Amino acid sequence: MRAPAKTDTKKLILDLAEELLLTRSFSAFSYQHISAALGMKNAAIHYHFPTKTDLGVALIQRYRRRFARWTGEQETLAGDPWQKLEWYFDLIVRYYDQNQRICPTGVLSAEYLVLPPEIQVETQAFMRELLAWAELILTEGQTKGYFRFKGTPRDRAATIMAALQGGLQVARVMENSAILDDIIKQIRLGLGAGGQLA
């Protein structure tokens, strides 16, 4: 049986750090949590990520790469604006369905003021990318007549993102996924879904 490659170890650390981030928060886990769960010494984690800030930056950069791939796949699939938005709703629901997780931007924004500056920079960049994507979808949908709403696509994008992040947190506290479903339904109605809803 071969020993785990360095890249395998690095991925294992990132995967566990992601789980801890989404279920606890960045401030609420340490290298000790990771080393104990993976059966390794803290020194092995420090080898790949000298500081916890380095780990946090790497984690958010990985989220950003995933999001870029996901939006690229959307363009390849060439869905209409409604479909693209529904894909995002599905992503949010899947976060909750996995042990009542909160999306990474929701976790990071909740503790933003106590995060190291380097992680704040990455969090801001990730949030800008999410908002820019949502604004793009809403602009396309409004221009092509799929969506009907008052205000600018930029304002509506911020409102939708805030509603979904807040919805995940409220659903977790109330232990009720129906709250998230209701929020998504209201977002659809606010975009002019009307009779399209079941």
Side-chain angles (χ1 to χ4, degrees), residues 113-143:
L113 293 179
V114 298
L115 293 174
E118 298 91 336
I119 296 180
Q120 288 181 343
V121 169
E122 287 295 328
T123 300
Q124 286 179 351
F126 191 18
M127 186 68 79
R128 281 195 298 268
E129 289 161 1
L130 285 166
L131 289 170
W133 168 82
E135 182 180 356
L136 188 65
I137 299 302
L138 291 168
T139 299
E140 178 189 1
Q142 191 178 54
T143 301

Side-chain angles (χ1 to χ4, degrees), residues 18-19 21-23 62-64 66-67 87-107 126 130 164 168 172 180:
E18 177 177 355
E19 174 69 21
L21 172 73
L22 299 181
T23 55
R62 185 165 78 159
Y63 278 126
R64 293 176 64 193
R66 280 184 191 163
F67 185 68
W87 287 331
Y88 188 70
F89 294 156
D90 181 61
L91 193 65
I92 292 295
V93 170
R94 278 189 279 136
Y95 267 116
Y96 183 83
D97 288 343
Q98 295 173 357
N99 300 319
Q100 298 180 336
R101 289 179 172 184
I102 294 175
C103 65
T105 51
V107 174
F126 191 18
L130 285 166
L164 291 172
L168 282 168
R172 173 190 270 183
L180 193 57

Side-chain angles (χ1 to χ4, degrees), residues 58-76:
L59 196 54
I60 302 170
Q61 288 175 344
R62 185 165 78 159
Y63 278 126
R64 293 176 64 193
R65 289 192 300 273
R66 280 184 191 163
F67 185 68
R69 284 195 303 270
W70 183 77
T71 55
E73 288 168 3
Q74 277 196 336
E75 293 308 312
T76 302

Side-chain angles (χ1 to χ4, degrees), residues 15 27 34 45 51 70 83 88-89 100 108 115 122 144 158 161 173 175-176:
D15 289 345
S27 301
I34 298 173
I45 303 171
T51 68
W70 183 77
Q83 184 61 62
Y88 188 70
F89 294 156
Q100 298 180 336
L108 293 164
L115 293 174
E122 287 295 328
K144 295 181 178 178
M161 289 298 178
V173 172
E175 297 182 349
N176 185 356

